[in-house]
Amino acid sequence: MTERRLRADARDNRERLLEVAAAAFAREGTQTSLKAIARAAGVGIGTLYRRFPTREALVEAVYRNEVDRLCAAAPELLGQCPPAGALRAWMERFVDFMAAKEGMADTLRAVLLSEVDRLHTRDRLRQAIGTLLDAGAAAGAVRADLAPNDVLLALGGITMIAGAEQQRKLASRLIDLLLGGVLTSVHSGPR
């Protein structure tokens, strides 16, 4: 769906709604109160429904926005940190993304994701991690023989094992283990 250009205040409202809804869905699932989301975003329920006419439309928009943010983070992180640090930071964001997605899983399965959507999302995520791996390999920080899909699958496994919020520290420890196999020996020392 292409959205017409929004006024700055309408765009800000939309972004706040998406941010608040993402946090609420991750915390409470998609059955959380839409009135509470609107209130937390500082807008009226009418504003929420004008932007997202159904709960499913809001879930879909949140999901797509989170995928966009995660994919855009790869080059942004490379501009802020060395490649090994950017890769680790992106992996942490990926785990957070997957935890948020878990809160939306039932609704996403029911209304959103066709096989084409899932493949497109995976391709975008592979491209993002590929950007980080390529930059790391060029800098000598990451092994050059890695396939982005393999690293993405390993990250997916971490999120399955440590998906619950109380397991977040475990996810970080598992990311450290994964990085032990991804980084070159020169860059795999203590962080």
Side-chain angles (χ1 to χ4, degrees), residues 34-150:
L34 295 183
K35 285 182 184 178
I37 289 172
R39 187 172 39 256
V43 301
I45 191 70
T47 298
L48 184 146
Y49 279 116
R50 212 172 7 266
R51 291 280 148 245
F52 311 103
T54 64
R55 179 179 303 274
E56 291 78 13
L58 178 59
V59 170
E60 178 180 357
V62 165
Y63 175 75
R64 291 188 188 284
N65 189 59
E66 293 301 302
V67 169
D68 291 345
R69 289 178 60 196
L70 181 60
C71 292
E76 290 170 7
L77 289 167
L78 284 169
Q80 298 167 3
C81 342
L87 179 60
R88 185 178 208 307
W90 192 88
M91 288 178 168
E92 292 283 351
R93 289 184 185 196
F94 179 86
V95 168
D96 293 340
F97 162 77
M98 292 299 288
K101 180 182 157 203
E102 206 45 46
M104 300 183 288
D106 290 339
T107 303
L108 285 172
R109 270 192 291 280
V111 300
L112 170 64
L113 293 179
S114 68
E115 185 64 22
V116 171
D117 287 328
R118 284 191 297 273
L119 291 173
H120 178 68
T121 298
R122 278 190 216 125
D123 188 49
R124 290 185 63 209
L125 293 170
R126 270 192 300 271
Q127 288 174 4
I129 202 161
T131 297
L132 292 160
L133 293 173
D134 290 346
V142 171
R143 291 177 29 201
D145 63 338
L146 300 171
N149 195 56
D150 293 347

